[in-house]
Amino acid sequence: MIHISSLNPTKSSLFLSGKCTVYKLFGLCMVLLLVSLLWLQLSCSGDMSDRRPPLQQAPPPPPCPPNSQASAVDDPSWGPHKLALIVPFRERFEELLVFVPFMHTFLNKKKIRHKILVINQVDHYRFNRASLINVGQLESGNDTDYLAMHDVDLLPLNEALDYGFPEEGPFHVASPELHPLYHYKTYVGGILLLTKKHYSMCNGMSNRFWGWGREDDEFYRRLRKAELQLFRPSGITTGYKTFLHIHDPAWRKRDQKRVAAQKQEQFKVDPEGGLTNLRYQVESRQELTISGAPCTVINTKLECDQNQTPWCLLG
């Protein structure tokens, strides 16, 4: 006789069989999971290695540009002298942006060791070109031995013009035969070269000329009094096209007003004034580079004795 119980498994055997099956499935899943993670890691590593750029050796730094000032010191063909190019200045920035790189290139071509000093008047008095030139001479330093009184709106176009050391006497570069505007014989404005010794022999320029004009005419008399011979260019064939005058009178009008006794005083010789009675303060110095050309801007406050020159103020 066959019992029905012998045909059906017991509850305990069914439980053990199900438990083993679950363990096997769990273990199989874990193995598959580990294999998947390992494959994913290997594939990602391969992608990253493919995307990473190959290591390259850094290129060497570019060579430093040659220092023209250093080469000027080392090269004996530049000569032993150094020029202080003094530019009396106020608010003519568009002209300065042209002037500084032009003159730096021009003087380098001629192998003239130089530094450009822009004497910027920042006080509330009228413009005083002569006093600013006096300031430039006193602030030019011991590394220069001659100076150029140079207008910011006058550019030399003829490379034959001489900017060398004026050992024999003052050299008027912008002579009346060449200047585009001023042609009278006693004119010494625009561009005038002097040794510092000769400038001191004249006691500099008069400080009494506030506003535009006449300070050059008074300085001509000082040159005569100091018995200094004036030299001018020779052999220049470009005439009135020797210089480019970049001042625009319609845009910047000159202060030509003559106030109070200034009308009479402008034609007199100042027997005592000059370097010895100059009063000023240097507010600041700024080292600038304009289109690769270095210059020093000296911001200057002039002082005025209104008892002596009441025309330093308008109104």
Side-chain angles (χ1 to χ4, degrees):
M1 181 179 293
I2 300 174
H3 296 281
I4 298 175
S5 60
S6 65
L7 298 174
N8 298 311
T10 63
K11 293 182 178 179
S12 60
S13 64
L14 289 172
F15 174 77
L16 290 173
S17 176
K19 188 174 183 181
C20 291
T21 303
V22 170
Y23 282 147
K24 290 177 181 179
L25 291 174
F26 179 78
L28 181 61
C29 290
M30 291 299 295
V31 170
L32 293 174
L33 180 62
L34 291 174
V35 171
S36 298
L37 291 174
L38 180 61
W39 176 83
L40 181 63
Q41 182 177 4
L42 291 174
S43 63
C44 290
S45 300
D47 291 343
M48 292 300 292
S49 62
D50 292 339
R51 294 174 186 174
R52 187 178 304 158
L55 293 178
Q56 297 180 354
Q57 186 177 0
C64 296
N67 189 328
S68 60
Q69 295 298 323
S71 63
V73 174
D74 298 335
D75 189 346
S77 66
W78 286 64
H81 303 290
K82 187 174 182 179
L83 170 67
L85 188 69
I86 299 174
V87 185
F89 181 81
R90 176 184 264 178
E91 297 178 347
R92 294 164 71 172
F93 298 102
E94 67 281 357
E95 296 172 4
L96 190 68
L97 293 177
V98 176
F99 178 86
V100 171
F102 182 94
M103 289 306 304
H104 182 65
T105 302
F106 182 87
L107 294 173
N108 278 346
K109 285 182 179 179
K110 298 181 69 64
K111 294 188 175 182
I112 302 293
R113 296 171 57 222
H114 65 278
K115 63 181 179 181
I116 300 175
L117 302 177
V118 181
I119 315 302
N120 181 32
Q121 185 175 340
V122 296
D123 54 70
H124 60 284
Y125 297 117
R126 299 172 70 188
F127 186 66
N128 192 322
R129 177 178 180 270
S131 291
L132 295 177
I133 293 173
N134 285 340
V135 172
Q137 196 273 350
L138 294 175
E139 298 292 330
S140 59
N142 296 327
D143 60 332
T144 59
D145 53 1
Y146 73 113
L147 56 89
M149 303 154 51
H150 211 301
D151 288 349
V152 71
D153 58 6
L154 197 62
L155 305 178
L157 301 180
N158 192 326
E159 294 185 3
L161 290 169
D162 188 6
Y163 274 74
F165 185 73
E167 185 172 3
E168 296 182 1
F171 185 77
H172 187 210
V173 180
S175 66
E177 297 81 10
L178 305 175
H179 196 284
L181 296 178
Y182 307 112
H183 310 139
Y184 57 95
K185 292 183 179 180
T186 59
Y187 176 68
V188 291
I191 309 168
L192 181 65
L193 307 181
L194 300 93
T195 67
K196 286 188 171 181
K197 177 182 177 181
H198 289 160
Y199 193 77
S200 297
M201 287 172 58
C202 299
N203 192 22
M205 303 185 76
S206 172
N207 300 304
R208 296 176 63 84
F209 291 86
W210 301 88
W212 183 82
R214 299 296 183 187
E215 76 283 343
D216 296 324
D217 298 334
E218 200 273 347
F219 190 67
Y220 176 79
R221 299 186 183 99
R222 291 179 178 234
L223 295 175
R224 296 287 299 273
K225 184 179 179 181
E227 298 181 349
L228 292 172
Q229 183 178 355
L230 181 66
F231 294 88
R232 285 180 166 136
S234 61
I236 303 295
T237 60
T238 45
Y240 298 149
K241 296 182 179 180
T242 304
F243 299 94
L244 177 62
H245 192 245
I246 60 175
H247 179 77
D248 185 358
W251 174 249
R252 291 195 177 276
K253 296 185 186 237
R254 301 189 189 277
D255 177 11
Q256 295 178 308
K257 294 181 180 179
R258 297 294 180 260
V259 183
Q262 186 180 13
K263 293 180 181 179
Q264 291 76 32
E265 292 288 332
Q266 65 182 337
F267 297 107
K268 295 181 180 179
V269 177
D270 183 5
E272 298 178 357
L275 294 172
T276 52
N277 71 342
L278 175 68
R279 295 189 301 172
Y280 72 98
Q281 295 178 358
V282 173
E283 187 175 76
S284 63
R285 287 176 177 258
Q286 295 174 296
E287 302 294 333
L288 300 181
T289 300
I290 303 176
S291 299
C295 69
T296 302
V297 178
I298 303 178
N299 297 310
T300 304
K301 285 186 174 181
L302 300 177
E303 298 181 14
C304 171
D305 184 351
Q306 296 186 41
N307 293 323
Q308 295 293 325
T309 55
W311 52 86
C312 63
L313 290 171
L314 284 175

